[in-house]
Amino acid sequence: MKRYVTALAAVTLMTAQAAADRVAHVSMDIVSGSVLTESVGGAAVDVYGLHAPENVAGAVGNALRLDGYSSFASGDIGGQAAPTAMTYSVWVAPETYPVVRIDQATDDKVLLAGTIDDSQRAGWSFNLGYTGKYSFECYSAGWKVTVDASDIMPCYEWSHLVATVDGSARKVILYRNGTPVGEARCMNSVGNSATMLRVGKSADSNYADAFLINTFNGLVDDIDIYDTALTPDEIAGFRPEREADLSIPDGTAE
């Protein structure tokens, strides 16, 4: 069964690429020390934290394990053109939901992956809140579009988050594991001028004592950007190669 699922994921990926160019791809493989690589343009994405970056078996190859209180990644991956359509994709598996604010109910969410930059009015991001609510945000012709999911993201399992931005149809659709979970109206173009990719942490830093509380605790795997809106059939075909494993390795301090 595992071989079949892996083969299906590979075939789906090739089908998607046949219809669209992948303009950015960040696998979570640590290539040297604490560096990830955006493979299309070759840009470096640095991993930060109190401990050495940790790779574990992921949804596709290796995943990056983030600790929820210090670790995150960021790097300038360069811009893409501003076409009328794009697709953004990431695999995530939370261990816990983020704290976000101490002793305070909030609708604020932690960035899982994205380039969103409100000062530039550009970019995109997948986000997760302290109750498991999640969303996708992007800028379209200078206007911010927010798509709130209709369900709750589960912990301890893979969620494949995909967002399609289609300026021709004036629609943004958010998917989780191939199922549409929300949509919103957009303008006729995609704002791609924001180039600083962040993984597992919002642009600001929110501390409680020495610990960051606006960071993600869990696994993050392959980030992909395509220069068109993938079809529902293409999105529904993706499957993880293995189940999410958030166990603590032997010899690792809790």
Side-chain angles (χ1 to χ4, degrees):
M1 177 60 73
K2 179 180 176 181
R3 290 181 179 177
Y4 169 76
V5 170
T6 302
L8 178 61
V11 169
T12 303
L13 179 58
M14 288 188 289
T15 301
Q17 287 180 301
D21 285 334
R22 187 165 62 176
V23 295
H25 171 67
V26 182
S27 75
M28 294 297 118
D29 293 303
I30 300 167
V31 294
S32 176
S34 58
V35 178
L36 310 170
T37 300
E38 192 288 296
S39 60
V40 176
V45 178
D46 296 310
V47 183
Y48 301 89
L50 295 177
H51 309 288
E54 181 183 358
N55 265 158
V56 300
V60 184
N62 290 323
L64 183 66
R65 181 69 160 90
L66 299 177
D67 61 22
Y69 62 89
S70 75
S71 56
F72 62 94
S74 66
D76 193 327
I77 62 171
Q80 297 86 41
T84 58
M86 298 288 285
T87 297
Y88 306 94
S89 166
V90 64
W91 292 88
V92 294
E95 180 176 10
T96 60
Y97 299 134
V99 175
V100 187
R101 302 286 178 186
I102 294 293
D103 298 328
Q104 180 182 345
T106 177
D107 291 328
D108 292 349
K109 295 178 176 62
V110 166
L111 181 145
L112 298 171
T115 64
I116 199 87
D117 188 325
D118 291 330
S119 65
Q120 293 187 47
R121 303 188 68 82
W124 58 275
S125 67
F126 295 100
N127 315 289
L128 178 64
Y130 81 103
T131 61
K133 294 181 179 180
Y134 63 103
S135 65
F136 174 78
E137 293 183 326
C138 68
Y139 275 94
S140 174
W143 293 91
K144 194 172 192 178
V145 178
T146 300
V147 183
D148 291 314
S150 59
D151 63 345
I152 299 298
M153 185 183 296
C155 292
Y156 284 93
E157 64 182 68
W158 285 116
S159 288
H160 184 216
L161 304 183
V162 177
T164 58
V165 185
D166 190 340
S168 297
R170 303 293 180 92
K171 185 180 293 186
V172 180
I173 304 176
L174 173 62
Y175 299 80
R176 187 176 74 84
N177 295 339
T179 299
V181 293
E183 66 176 65
R185 296 283 291 172
C186 68
M187 304 298 283
N188 63 355
S189 66
V190 185
N192 281 328
S193 60
T195 62
M196 181 59 71
L197 176 70
R198 295 179 176 85
V199 181
K201 176 183 170 296
S202 306
D204 59 326
S205 295
N206 187 10
Y207 283 93
D209 294 325
F211 302 104
L212 284 166
I213 58 174
N214 63 330
T215 50
F216 175 63
N217 178 18
L219 308 179
V220 181
D221 209 350
D222 276 33
I223 298 171
D224 287 300
I225 304 175
Y226 297 91
D227 65 356
T228 192
L230 297 183
T231 68
D233 285 344
E234 289 170 337
I235 294 167
F238 288 94
R239 296 289 186 276
E241 294 177 357
R242 56 187 67 82
E243 294 181 357
D245 183 0
L246 287 138
S247 60
I248 298 174
D250 293 339
T252 301
E254 297 188 27

